[in-house]
Amino acid sequence: MRPHSLAFVVALAAMLRSGSASADDRAIAEQAFQQGRELMAAGHVAEACPKFEAAAKLSSTAGVRLNLADCYARLGRTASAWAKADEALAIAERAGDVAAADLARSRMADLEPKLCYVTIVVATTGVVPGMEVRLDGEAIPEALWGTPLPVDPGEHEVAVRAPARRPWARKTTVTVSGARARVAVPALAEEGAPTSPARGRGLGTTEVLAIVAGGLGLAGLGIGTAFGLDAA
């Protein structure tokens, strides 16, 4: 495992090299970034993350995102950290920032075994035109149904809607590092059809099938890499 030894100046230099933002935006981003670093150094991780988030909105640099990813990771938000690190890697590669790109890949290796996943299974016979599947409010493309999706540890909700059908929702929880949950979506009842007690509770006819801890084969998912420039 690679030590957390890259200097903070690498991240700051990357941010200052950005030419995509206005001078005012860069100044505000730098101030937010510095405040985030100070809060992290003082151990106020939860307060630091919003500072890095603000800086990331105003500055398209790898360094800011690596620090934000590290902040998320310290809060246990492993999937969020992974996603931000993916952004950092893409930016670093476009900018030719070898150091940041290498760090991103190294941090990916650290995060991989800690990622939790939710797989949403929709039976082919249950698919209807206009069907929409959401995970925690985010629309999931049909191409990703049945694919393990990285999520932060905690409670997650799968919600399904379709025209002229009753909506369905199910909550599941993943808490163990490296855990997986599988949620099976039943065929949606037609509007006006008799309501069974189970459907009346909005629980559907299937349960979460499995939540298990174990090693995860992540190659080829293309979600993200790495986190945190010198967060120690």
Side-chain angles (χ1 to χ4, degrees):
M1 183 179 296
R2 184 170 171 170
H4 303 182
S5 59
L6 290 187
F8 155 63
V9 69
V10 176
L12 182 58
M15 183 179 71
L16 296 178
R17 286 198 301 269
S18 173
S20 60
S22 69
D24 286 346
D25 284 348
R26 288 199 300 272
I28 295 171
E30 181 179 352
Q31 183 180 34
F33 183 79
Q34 294 281 15
Q35 291 173 347
R37 291 296 305 181
E38 292 170 3
L39 287 166
M40 287 281 281
H44 303 304
V45 180
E47 291 84 353
C49 289
K51 300 295 184 181
F52 291 132
E53 289 168 356
K57 289 179 181 178
L58 298 172
S59 178
S60 300
T61 63
V64 171
R65 282 156 182 78
L66 285 169
N67 278 271
L68 176 55
D70 179 56
C71 198
Y72 285 155
R74 292 193 184 196
L75 292 178
R77 297 176 58 183
T78 48
S80 294
W82 201 29
K84 283 301 169 185
D86 180 45
E87 294 179 20
L89 178 63
I91 293 170
E93 289 181 334
R94 287 197 300 267
D97 189 339
V98 177
D102 285 347
L103 180 60
R105 295 185 186 97
S106 176
R107 301 308 176 122
M108 178 184 69
D110 292 340
L111 279 173
E112 281 182 355
K114 303 174 185 176
L115 289 172
C116 298
Y117 289 85
V118 170
T119 301
I120 304 170
V121 180
V122 183
T124 303
T125 55
V127 177
V128 296
M131 190 172 187
E132 182 182 75
V133 176
R134 290 182 175 270
L135 176 60
D136 297 330
E138 295 293 330
I140 305 300
E142 186 173 352
L144 294 180
W145 298 353
T147 300
L149 304 172
V151 295
D152 290 334
E155 185 178 77
H156 300 277
E157 182 179 63
V158 175
V160 184
R161 293 179 179 275
R165 304 280 175 157
R166 288 204 185 105
W168 178 92
R170 165 73 67 199
K171 291 183 179 180
T172 186
T173 302
V174 287
T175 56
V176 179
S177 180
R180 291 185 181 187
R182 185 172 181 267
V183 179
V185 177
L188 300 182
E190 295 182 5
E191 289 286 0
T195 302
S196 68
R199 285 174 179 162
R201 293 194 301 272
L203 297 180
T205 59
T206 57
E207 300 294 331
V208 175
L209 300 181
I211 299 177
V212 296
L216 305 177
L218 307 180
L221 290 183
I223 300 293
T225 59
F227 68 102
L229 278 181
D230 188 27

